[in-house]
Amino acid sequence: MSISWNQKKRCLDLLAEEQNFTKKLWGQSLKICLAYPNDYHTGMSNLGFQTIYSLINSHPKCLCERVFYPESEYLSTKNAFTLVSIESQHALAEFDILAFSLSFENDYPRILEMLALSKIPLKATERGNGYPLVAAGGIAVTLNPEPLADFFDLFLIGEGEAILPGFLDLMTSAPMRKKEEFLREIQKNIAGAYVPSLYLVTTNEDGRIVSHDPLKADYPTKIVRQWVHDINVFTTEQQIITKNTELGNMYLIEVSRGCGRGCRFCAAGFACRPVRFRNFEMLKPSLLTAINQNKAVGLVGTAVSDHPELVSICRFVMDRGGRIALGSLRMDRLSFEMASILKESGIETATFGPEAASQTLRDVIHKGINDEDIFSVVDKLMKFDIDKMKLYFMVGLPTETAEDIEAIVSLVKKIQHRARSISKGKGFRMLTLSINQFIPKAATPFQWHPLESTAVVKKRIKNIKEGLRTEKYVRVNHDLPKWNYLQALLALGDRKVGKLLLAAHRLNNNWAQAFREMNINADFYVYRRKDIDEILPWDFIDHGVSKTFLINEYLRSEKIR
Ligand code: SF4
């Protein structure tokens, strides 16, 4: 096991191009390595990851460093290689805690690779006191940590700002004792902590869960997702600035959390409630920092276009010579003023997510927009001469029919027709469709719904492409349906799915072989419509919305057609 000079140089080169990273003395009482299971270029644009980094470092007794999934050149020499932290190039096994930030299920296989590259045993039961405590947080495990239960000592369910201070205080309050002792204490005292080894899950013969019980009466039966009631008491903005990342031209500032719209497919719309906005006054110092950095101000949040002071925020930035970067906007929230802001700030492509084209399907998913909203957006964009638009659609939605797919083709043609008719024949110079498969997620009203088959999804994407083939200025992008099966499995699975993950790791990510060897019916999790009254793997988490509410929402969606 060695730390190569190349690897060390790579860390030093990255640090040399960063501003504001923190490097504390190695002697701190609690040393945490924050891990992102994707490469540096991707991970450094994750505002949540950066927020946790600075939150831990702000604790006087803690040190936090970072590690990312390594570039392919290192993977080719993996036997002679160990992963090290960026800041001090210490091996991961030398830290007290290895904490993964997990936003996407498709990153899970890389967790096992990172543990293996760090020479840390993959399974929690095989890690004695000499190894770091391996923890995880983030939206993916907040929704459903169970497929990862075998590999993690601990999950933190909910928002970091709400859980970490108490957790770090407890961890630094006494010298590191036996790991089991610490874990028991954490489970008893830290709201939102979940130590999977302290809970027993039983299933019946057909694989359905019968119970998920704590091993002792003093551990909570329900793990309550933690969230911050007032996000105006702190700021969430970019900490480390580097050009070596996806959004390197932006300075990211969080303006809202949660969303109250309740689109039935959307985890953020249910499991991150309630909606909270940062007020404009509170945001001003962050906005000024962004302008001084000469970066576009990237406004981050699940409901950015619902922010009641969005126009004032954007005007504040632009009046001071700054630029605004916005993600996808709701189509019923584009006012003339906002369209004018998009134009003035030089945003070339306006992005929206109608998700479905027929009104019936939009009602099924509770999208809350109609054709009038869509055409009103087209009118405004044309008026301000914004001639590129990107639209997100989903395929494989509950109750979807071939007519709903035809409706996508027809709507796009109508959009272009409308745009031409009010712009002297010019229309959109580029209309990009991004087609993604609907993947059921835990803690949403569609959590009981099966994934649509890959064959059907492929056919539907093909139909959309064919239907729009003659549209010169329309481009159709789509994801690869075969990876969606895996994402659904990791999102909806229970502890048995962890055994598949382990087998796939052993077999060099050959999932087909892993499915054959493990004799676990993966379709049971992915393609089965779950019963409303069955216990789901994540039911032990109180996400903040009652199961009765989710059931009613699901049943309401089914009555629409
Ligand atoms: S899709 Fe957008 S608007 Fe709908 S609930 Fe999710 S974040 Fe809110």
Side-chain angles (χ1 to χ4, degrees), residues 458-473:
K458 274 186 178 166
K459 187 163 178 279
R460 293 195 167 161
I461 292 172
K462 193 169 158 231
N463 289 348
I464 295 169
K465 285 171 112 173
E466 275 174 5
L468 293 169
R469 208 183 46 230
T470 53
E471 291 291 316
K472 196 170 162 197
Y473 299 105

Side-chain angles (χ1 to χ4, degrees), residues 258-270 301-303 306 330 353 355 366-367:
C259 178
R261 297 288 193 143
C263 303
R264 294 185 176 113
F265 59 86
C266 177
F270 287 89
T302 31
D306 280 344
R330 273 193 65 95
E355 320 292 359
H366 199 244
K367 191 63 211 178

Side-chain angles (χ1 to χ4, degrees), residues 62-163:
C62 297
L63 157 157
C64 185
E65 303 196 351
R66 293 161 292 154
V67 68
F68 298 86
Y69 185 73
E71 282 95 358
S72 47
E73 66 207 77
Y74 298 111
L75 294 172
S76 57
T77 58
K78 56 183 160 191
N79 289 334
F81 167 88
T82 185
L83 266 184
V84 297
S85 63
I86 300 269
E87 282 80 355
S88 68
Q89 300 95 52
H90 276 87
L92 302 201
E94 295 177 75
F95 286 82
D96 302 310
I97 301 179
L98 176 57
F100 281 85
S101 168
L102 300 175
S103 303
F104 308 106
E105 295 86 1
N106 282 350
D107 288 343
Y108 291 179
R110 284 190 285 269
I111 298 170
L112 300 196
E113 286 186 56
M114 288 174 77
L115 289 172
L117 285 168
S118 310
K119 315 297 182 269
I120 295 173
L122 307 185
K123 295 180 84 171
T125 49
E126 290 165 7
R127 293 191 295 264
N129 284 312
Y131 289 103
L133 196 137
V134 181
I139 183 66
V141 290
T142 289
L143 295 176
N144 177 23
E146 287 300 86
L148 297 175
D150 284 353
F151 314 111
F152 282 86
D153 299 301
L154 168 73
F155 296 100
L156 298 177
I157 305 295
E159 295 173 8
E161 296 90 346
I163 314 175

Side-chain angles (χ1 to χ4, degrees), residues 248-456:
N249 58 343
M250 290 183 204
Y251 186 91
L252 304 175
I253 300 173
E254 186 191 50
V255 295
S256 72
R257 265 186 209 184
C259 178
R261 297 288 193 143
C263 303
R264 294 185 176 113
F265 59 86
C266 177
F270 287 89
C272 302
R273 286 184 177 198
V275 62
R276 289 149 286 164
F277 297 108
R278 273 210 175 87
N279 66 47
F280 176 34
E281 275 309 311
M282 175 72 193
L283 288 167
K284 279 181 182 172
S286 310
L287 298 171
L288 288 171
T289 309
I291 296 165
N292 291 337
Q293 287 281 342
N294 206 14
K295 302 259 184 196
V297 180
L299 301 179
V300 177
T302 31
V304 173
S305 48
D306 280 344
H307 196 298
E309 296 173 293
L310 183 61
V311 168
S312 307
I313 292 168
C314 294
R315 283 274 166 237
F316 179 87
V317 173
M318 287 158 58
D319 289 350
R320 284 156 184 76
R323 289 162 295 134
I324 287 285
L326 288 162
S328 174
L329 298 171
R330 273 193 65 95
M331 298 194 101
D332 54 354
R333 293 290 296 171
L334 189 78
S335 58
F336 270 99
E337 179 73 1
M338 267 316 293
S340 147
I341 285 170
L342 294 185
K343 180 67 186 173
E344 287 170 53
S345 65
I347 290 175
E348 284 196 354
T349 305
T351 305
F352 304 90
E355 320 292 359
S358 74
Q359 190 57 48
T360 311
L361 194 53
R362 281 198 298 257
D363 291 344
V364 168
I365 64 175
H366 199 244
K367 191 63 211 178
I369 58 163
N370 55 36
D371 280 358
E372 236 169 75
D373 295 319
I374 296 174
F375 294 127
S376 165
V377 164
V378 174
D379 295 352
K380 286 166 194 150
L381 295 182
M382 285 297 111
K383 178 172 168 37
F384 288 98
D385 209 15
I386 298 171
D387 58 6
K388 289 186 186 167
M389 178 157 77
K390 183 174 181 182
L391 296 175
Y392 286 103
F393 285 101
M394 282 193 281
V395 291
L397 282 164
T399 79
E400 183 183 279
T401 62
E403 286 74 45
D404 294 313
I405 299 302
E406 280 165 28
I408 295 179
V409 173
S410 148
L411 178 66
V412 170
K413 287 182 178 173
K414 280 188 206 157
I415 287 174
Q416 189 61 309
H417 179 75
R418 172 98 166 206
R420 284 201 188 105
S421 69
I422 53 173
S423 64
K424 296 188 186 128
K426 282 198 316 191
F428 284 105
R429 197 154 54 89
M430 186 49 70
L431 192 47
T432 304
L433 267 61
S434 179
I435 315 276
N436 297 294
Q437 181 174 5
F438 157 69
I439 296 177
K441 289 286 164 98
T444 69
F446 289 159
Q447 64 183 355
W448 293 277
H449 203 78
L451 186 77
E452 185 54 273
S453 75
T454 303
V456 168

